[in-house]
Amino acid sequence: MERKERPQHALVPMGDLTPIQMLGIAVQRGADLEYLKQLMDLKDRWEAAEARKAFNTALAAFKKNPPVVVKDMLNKQYGSTYTSLGNLVNTVNAVLGEYGLSASWKVEQGELIKVTCILEHIDGHSKQVTIEGPKDVSGAKNTLQQIRSTLTYLKGDTFEAVTGIASKVGNVDDDGNGAGKKEPAPEGYEAWKADMTALADEGAKRLAEAWKKSTDELRRYVIKFDEPWWRQTKKNAEKVPQ
């Protein structure tokens, strides 16, 4: 009786070999095309799983020691601080790179402006967050300014969402790194503060008018070092019947 030979791929040892090693051995031994296709599919799935694990490990390490993003801009109209896109991205990207991570945006424009922020690891796995919104028609912006304003907002929001980073006001403790160090109050600050506290009894409109007329130095100091007082003062003013 004639002995039937086993297919070549049956000779490929399994053990602890990776799919890439198994594929290499199968090619060397002349395995049939169908078997090679199966090994290539297995290799692709294995590489994707490894890339996903590497991404999750890198992101976890990044979140364990995240960068501190301090709000660097003052909204004079509303008396609040916010983070500029440049400050946010430059601060965070410097640390993302240490873990093999990088962020980029994809922009689509139709009736709404759609921005997708993609966070990718050097091994290929990525995650993304998409937000869309209309042109910013507030104020006296031209068409290009309306688009740019919306893009700035959406880029910042998607970047924070995909990285898990949130900026903070400058008076939050920063472990002695400098951003939260107290500085002397501007001349006349306590008297101005007392006047603003009293003005809250006259309503939100009077308080807002006084805020706009205040110097940048006073307003910046409030936002950086005395924001809890200012939030409470505004709340008190909003309770006054108009």
Side-chain angles (χ1 to χ4, degrees):
M1 182 176 180
E2 187 177 303
R3 182 179 178 182
K4 188 174 182 180
E5 296 205 10
R6 299 170 64 190
Q8 290 291 324
H9 59 73
L11 300 176
V12 178
M14 297 297 287
D16 295 326
L17 295 179
T18 67
I20 296 176
Q21 293 170 322
M22 293 169 60
L23 181 59
I25 293 173
V27 170
Q28 290 177 358
R29 296 186 174 180
D32 60 77
L33 183 59
E34 183 60 32
Y35 184 64
L36 291 178
K37 286 182 178 179
Q38 293 176 8
L39 284 180
M40 290 182 69
D41 289 341
L42 176 62
K43 177 184 77 71
D44 290 342
R45 294 195 301 272
W46 179 80
E47 287 180 338
E50 291 297 301
R52 184 169 58 253
K53 287 192 290 185
F55 175 91
N56 291 336
T57 299
L59 187 58
F62 167 77
K63 290 186 175 181
K64 187 176 181 180
N65 296 290
V68 176
V69 181
V70 178
K71 296 180 180 180
D72 61 326
M73 302 297 288
L74 173 65
N75 185 316
K76 296 180 181 180
Q77 182 177 358
Y78 298 105
S80 60
T81 53
Y82 63 96
T83 303
S84 64
L85 183 61
N87 178 46
L88 171 66
V89 173
N90 292 337
T91 301
V92 177
N93 273 348
V95 182
L96 283 175
E98 297 177 9
Y99 300 96
L101 297 165
S102 63
S104 60
W105 290 286
K106 181 176 68 174
V107 177
E108 302 171 64
Q109 186 174 345
E111 292 186 8
L112 296 175
I113 298 172
K114 180 186 293 185
V115 172
T116 300
C117 189
I118 305 162
L119 182 65
E120 187 170 10
H121 187 258
I122 54 175
D123 284 354
H125 187 74
S126 64
K127 65 179 288 189
Q128 62 185 44
V129 171
T130 299
I131 303 178
E132 61 183 13
K135 297 176 184 177
D136 179 9
V137 296
S138 63
K141 300 181 181 70
N142 60 39
T143 302
L144 290 177
Q145 289 171 331
Q146 293 171 2
I147 295 173
R148 183 174 182 179
S149 178
T150 296
L151 282 175
T152 299
Y153 279 114
L154 296 182
K155 282 183 175 182
D157 286 351
T158 54
F159 187 90
E160 287 188 332
V162 80
T163 60
I165 290 292
S167 53
K168 68 176 187 178
V169 294
N171 64 334
V172 179
D173 178 50
D174 64 350
D175 297 327
N177 290 326
K181 290 182 178 179
K182 191 86 170 182
E183 63 185 47
E187 184 177 353
Y189 178 75
E190 292 302 327
W192 172 84
K193 180 178 177 179
D195 290 341
M196 294 295 283
T197 301
L199 271 176
D201 294 336
E202 299 181 26
K205 183 177 179 180
R206 288 279 289 123
L207 185 65
E209 290 173 350
W211 172 264
K212 290 179 182 179
K213 293 178 182 178
S214 301
T215 65
D216 285 348
E217 185 181 20
L218 289 169
R219 291 185 297 204
R220 287 188 183 280
Y221 186 86
V222 168
I223 298 305
K224 193 171 183 180
F225 298 110
D226 211 356
E227 192 172 33
W229 160 77
W230 179 236
R231 285 199 303 265
Q232 186 59 50
T233 301
K234 288 190 292 183
K235 286 181 180 180
N236 293 341
E238 291 167 359
K239 295 176 182 178
V240 177
Q242 299 298 312

